[in-house]
Amino acid sequence: MNKFDGLNQAMVEHYAPRPGRRPLLPPMSDKARIALMCRMLFKEGWNEHIAGHITFRQADGTILTNPWELAWDELTASDIMTLDSEGQIIDGEWNITPAIGLHVQLHALRPEIDVVIHNHAKWSGIWANLQRVPPVYDQTGAHCGAELPIYNEYTGTFENEKSSLSAAEALGDAKWALLANHGSLVVAKDLRQAHLRAITLEWRCKRAYEVELAGGAEPLSNEEIEKVSITDTHGFPFCWEAMARRELRLDPSILE
């Protein structure tokens, strides 16, 4: 049993009054989890062609990431690249994005952050282009708190070290951000937390856009949002597994 499976077991025992069926997911490698994460988020709107990158820092300091050439909905475990702590390829058959520097710098600046996700997601991308923070209108949009910074000094692309370092430093201790006229950024301690933050951000942005089109409404107060956002600490129980199983039913080859 690996560390992630142990977390699954602990969460089941804590939250479920009945044991239910075990395990929730088959044993899998970290590379398989990254491929699954890409597939899962693709369905959530993080799907701008071949744009976007996910990094996952392993216990030994090496970093797993998706290759540049492949779209998120076609990845399998064998496609995932391994990098050293400086972002240099040490294993894999593909190329990596020139913008990997942003991830490397975020991992270095934030030792508590093991997952960084960036893409030009559909609904959060609208608010990034508007350079506005979407209000929270429902419980699902409130899962990860109210604060959502906008980084509005984007100057082109993140392969420039000064630009990427500036963006990394501007994020501060935030859990996510909108990149003005660019896209979305999510950081987290693990894949479960990152998944919840990414899907919550898209839901929040989608609902806010729909409410505005309908004429507007009263958003939730910060106090109400904080009551709901207790799930952010560990990720919503069972959600990661449920979405992972959906992808595995569609294409079991993800694990290969």
Side-chain angles (χ1 to χ4, degrees):
M1 177 181 291
N2 58 42
K3 181 179 179 182
F4 199 92
D5 293 330
L7 176 60
N8 291 346
Q9 180 84 1
M11 293 194 73
V12 169
E13 292 175 350
H14 179 77
Y15 287 103
R18 297 166 57 192
R21 295 176 59 184
R22 312 286 181 83
L24 293 176
L25 285 172
M28 65 183 75
S29 66
D30 285 338
K31 287 188 174 185
R33 293 189 182 92
I34 301 304
L36 261 176
M37 187 74 153
C38 289
R39 300 267 191 133
M40 291 153 64
L41 293 185
F42 185 90
K43 295 284 180 61
E44 301 285 347
W46 295 67
N47 57 7
E48 200 273 280
H49 304 102
I50 63 167
H53 11 99
I54 294 178
T55 52
F56 173 71
R57 178 167 53 191
Q58 301 184 101
D60 63 359
T62 58
I63 296 171
L64 300 180
T65 191
N66 59 292
W68 194 10
E69 295 96 327
L70 303 180
W72 283 16
D73 66 333
E74 62 177 325
L75 288 171
T76 65
S78 60
D79 295 316
I80 301 303
M81 309 289 290
T82 307
L83 315 177
D84 64 20
S85 60
E86 302 298 318
Q88 301 300 309
I89 297 173
I90 57 178
D91 176 60
E93 299 178 352
W94 302 98
N95 293 295
I96 58 170
T97 172
I100 201 68
L102 173 64
H103 293 244
V104 171
Q105 289 166 339
L106 278 168
H107 286 301
L109 287 170
R110 303 273 298 273
E112 81 283 9
I113 293 302
D114 286 335
V115 181
V116 180
I117 307 173
H118 166 63
N119 207 322
H120 312 148
K122 179 177 180 179
W123 299 102
S124 51
I126 292 174
W127 292 91
N129 290 343
L130 290 171
Q131 298 189 39
R132 291 173 53 196
V133 176
V136 177
Y137 287 105
D138 62 6
Q139 176 175 299
T140 303
H143 277 312
C144 299
E147 184 179 2
L148 176 58
I150 298 177
Y151 176 69
N152 60 5
E153 297 180 13
Y154 174 57
T155 57
T157 59
F158 280 142
E159 63 260 26
N160 178 280
E161 186 173 350
K162 287 186 177 180
S163 294
S164 60
L165 181 59
S166 176
E169 291 173 338
L171 186 65
D173 61 357
K175 65 187 70 174
W176 51 17
L178 298 178
L179 306 177
N181 305 113
H182 185 182
S184 314
L185 183 70
V186 166
V187 300
K189 65 180 181 179
D190 55 34
L191 290 174
R192 181 190 301 279
Q193 187 182 66
H195 176 253
L196 179 65
R197 289 177 176 180
I199 65 175
T200 298
L201 180 59
E202 278 306 279
W203 182 279
R204 170 178 173 174
C205 290
K206 181 177 186 289
R207 279 289 180 261
Y209 184 77
E210 292 169 336
V211 169
E212 279 215 356
L213 287 180
E218 184 70 26
L220 294 180
S221 67
N222 286 348
E223 291 75 16
E224 290 300 318
I225 294 171
E226 290 306 313
K227 290 178 185 177
V228 173
S229 67
I230 57 172
T231 51
D232 181 52
T233 302
H234 299 294
F236 197 88
F238 314 118
C239 185
W240 200 95
E241 289 83 3
M243 299 302 99
R245 288 195 304 273
R246 181 171 64 184
E247 295 304 318
L248 289 172
R249 285 194 297 271
L250 292 171
D251 185 3
S253 72
I254 297 172
L255 302 183
E256 297 175 359

